[in-house]
Amino acid sequence: METELNIEKKKFFHSLTISLLMVAFVVLAFVVNYIFTLNWNDYGVQPRTFLGLLGIITMPFLHENWAHLFSNCLPLLFLLFGLYYYFGKKASLILLMQLLLTGTLTWIIGRNDTHIGASGLVYALAFFMITVSIIKKEVHMMGYTLIIIFLYGSIIWGFFPALFPNQNISWEGHLSGAISGVILAVFYRHEGPQRKEYFLDEEDEKEEEIESEKHEDKKNIPL
């Protein structure tokens, strides 16, 4: 029989492996596009156009340059790990829903330009984890959320492009990701770890019942 420690180790390394593979695929897509000059970035989200619908799927795999890529890789790895560690078999479905919802909202509200990058998905994952941990009030997830806030709390400024005048930031993608994360956190609030509830043992319950009965008897004594 597997011990709890062995189960946790397997869970940890399984989550880490999946996360690393996904981020590696994002890096590989950029490298192939960069080396062979394939112009894949033209296939990002182009709001309210038929061709732009393809970008709903491709957007997280397309990046403008190395700096853009690496700024997304580390938070993406960290957040994907948390998603798979805490939500197990449901994690892939949640991730797919985040991808589709974030891309669709960006397609609806975005400016008439091409939107690329995994930052929308990063926002979706971050706001999902933060919101669902607040709803659940589960100790371990709340601890993980505090780490997210500590490391990536500054992502909140990504909603304000005026703060980055020299960068063409897709604040619509960030906002779409945040909205998607919150919606899916509410929808999947019953999945993953749940807050532990503690119950009194039988003797304590009997003592409470006896005390309650005594209290009621005193109330019923006629004056």
Side-chain angles (χ1 to χ4, degrees), residues 17-92:
T17 300
I18 293 178
S19 305
L20 285 170
L21 287 173
M22 287 185 173
V23 173
F25 189 75
V26 172
V27 174
L28 179 63
F30 174 81
V31 171
V32 171
N33 185 39
Y34 180 81
I35 292 176
F36 297 103
T37 319
L38 299 174
N39 297 319
W40 284 349
N41 286 2
D42 294 339
Y43 299 99
V45 171
Q46 297 174 26
R48 297 169 297 282
T49 67
F50 182 75
L51 180 62
L53 289 171
L54 178 63
I56 292 173
I57 300 296
T58 60
M59 183 172 69
F61 304 99
L62 307 175
H63 291 85
E64 183 179 4
N65 49 45
W66 289 100
H68 186 205
L69 174 69
F70 288 127
S71 68
N72 285 327
C73 280
L74 189 58
L76 188 61
L77 176 63
F78 182 77
L79 292 164
L80 282 171
F81 171 80
L83 180 67
Y84 276 89
Y85 183 82
Y86 287 110
F87 289 88
K89 294 179 180 179
K90 288 286 185 179
S92 294

Side-chain angles (χ1 to χ4, degrees), residues 48-182:
R48 297 169 297 282
T49 67
F50 182 75
L51 180 62
L53 289 171
L54 178 63
I56 292 173
I57 300 296
T58 60
M59 183 172 69
F61 304 99
L62 307 175
H63 291 85
E64 183 179 4
N65 49 45
W66 289 100
H68 186 205
L69 174 69
F70 288 127
S71 68
N72 285 327
C73 280
L74 189 58
L76 188 61
L77 176 63
F78 182 77
L79 292 164
L80 282 171
F81 171 80
L83 180 67
Y84 276 89
Y85 183 82
Y86 287 110
F87 289 88
K89 294 179 180 179
K90 288 286 185 179
S92 294
L93 177 59
I94 294 171
L95 181 63
L96 178 61
M97 293 298 293
Q98 289 178 339
L99 177 67
L100 294 175
L101 189 53
T102 299
T104 301
L105 287 174
T106 304
W107 186 84
I108 293 171
I109 69 173
R111 288 163 290 175
N112 292 324
D113 206 339
T114 303
H115 299 253
I116 59 173
S119 57
L121 189 56
V122 168
Y123 275 74
L125 287 164
F127 276 80
F128 173 83
M129 295 301 296
I130 291 171
T131 305
V132 81
S133 68
I134 292 172
I135 294 172
K136 287 175 174 289
K137 295 183 174 62
E138 200 276 329
V139 175
H140 295 95
M141 284 195 68
M142 292 190 77
Y144 178 81
T145 297
L146 288 175
I147 297 174
I148 295 175
I149 294 171
F150 177 75
L151 293 176
Y152 305 114
S154 60
I155 65 172
I156 194 70
W157 303 120
F159 297 130
F160 307 101
L163 298 176
F164 307 92
N166 298 322
Q167 300 180 42
N168 191 21
I169 291 177
S170 175
W171 64 267
E172 300 96 328
H174 298 169
L175 179 61
S176 297
I179 293 171
S180 303
V182 173

